[in-house]
Amino acid sequence: MRTTLTTAAAGAAAAVLLAGCGPQAATGDDSPYNGSEVKGAFTLPDADFTDSKGEEYNLKEDSAGAYTAVFFGFTNCPDICPTTMADMAQAVAELDEAERDRLNVVFVTADPDRDDPELLDMWLSSFDPSFTGLSGDLETTDAAAAELGISLDRPEKEDREGDYQVGHGSQVLLFSPEGESELMWRYQTGPDAIAEDLGSLLEAEGA
């Protein structure tokens, strides 16, 4: 497994451990939230994808106006991706309807060769039909991930069965309605903790 250390600074530096599919160590910080504050460290990339309904989707423009949680992964992932999407689905279910209407959950595939819009739609619908899946060419996907400090690592060769795994950062980044990063949740933060953070942010914005 390959790990990459990325530093996101938003006033103070926050160290983030990025890993491929597999266990990830947690790092502590002084954030009042369950997730780590990365306010203003990243902005949503101006990148064009195709969503899980087959429509054009610009990550920056079409996410504007709502809080947007972004995760890079792939549907054949054996552990991190389904766990993370299940946690996000449970966290969203804990919000009230008005809060859910102000939140987008976006899954960007790191494996566009296999994850076409139809497959993304079917896979994400098993967690929450409101989740948006995005696929794009490798250049666009890699550039968007790099802008957000997210590692992607595709093997050069497939295994004997023609299968392969994609190494990817396992964090979820939450962006404000203006497209500025707010929080980062590490793998296995847990749905209750994520829901608590979302509720606090949405309540503060609506106050």
Side-chain angles (χ1 to χ4, degrees), residues 21-46:
C21 284
Q24 178 180 352
T27 57
D29 56 37
D30 296 326
S31 172
Y33 296 99
N34 299 298
S36 297
E37 289 189 276
V38 289
K39 192 173 182 64
F42 306 104
T43 58
L44 280 170
D46 183 7

Side-chain angles (χ1 to χ4, degrees), residues 114-163:
R114 291 185 292 183
D115 290 343
D116 60 26
E118 183 178 1
L119 177 58
L120 280 174
D121 186 47
M122 180 176 64
W123 189 77
L124 288 171
S125 292
S126 68
F127 301 103
D128 187 318
S130 73
F131 288 1
T132 298
L134 300 181
S135 60
D137 58 57
L138 293 178
E139 182 179 2
T140 299
T141 303
D142 289 345
E147 282 191 49
L148 301 179
I150 296 173
S151 62
L152 297 180
D153 185 14
R154 301 179 191 85
E156 295 182 3
K157 296 182 179 180
E158 301 174 353
D159 63 22
R160 293 180 179 178
E161 287 73 38
D163 195 14

Side-chain angles (χ1 to χ4, degrees), residues 57-98:
Y57 191 104
N58 181 278
L59 188 54
K60 179 179 181 179
E61 294 177 0
D62 291 312
S63 299
Y67 278 93
T68 300
V70 178
F71 178 78
F72 282 72
F74 65 116
T75 65
N76 282 285
C77 177
D79 41 31
I80 289 176
C81 301
T83 300
T84 300
M85 288 297 99
D87 284 352
M88 290 303 300
Q90 185 174 335
V92 170
E94 293 182 28
L95 304 176
D96 62 36
E97 184 176 358

Side-chain angles (χ1 to χ4, degrees), residues 48-64:
D48 293 319
F49 293 91
T50 300
D51 71 16
S52 44
K53 303 301 182 183
E55 302 293 331
E56 293 182 359
Y57 191 104
N58 181 278
L59 188 54
K60 179 179 181 179
E61 294 177 0
D62 291 312
S63 299

Side-chain angles (χ1 to χ4, degrees), residues 183-196:
L183 293 176
M184 185 275 294
W185 294 300
R186 297 179 178 88
Y187 178 52
Q188 294 186 325
T189 294
D192 293 341
I194 293 171
E196 183 178 2

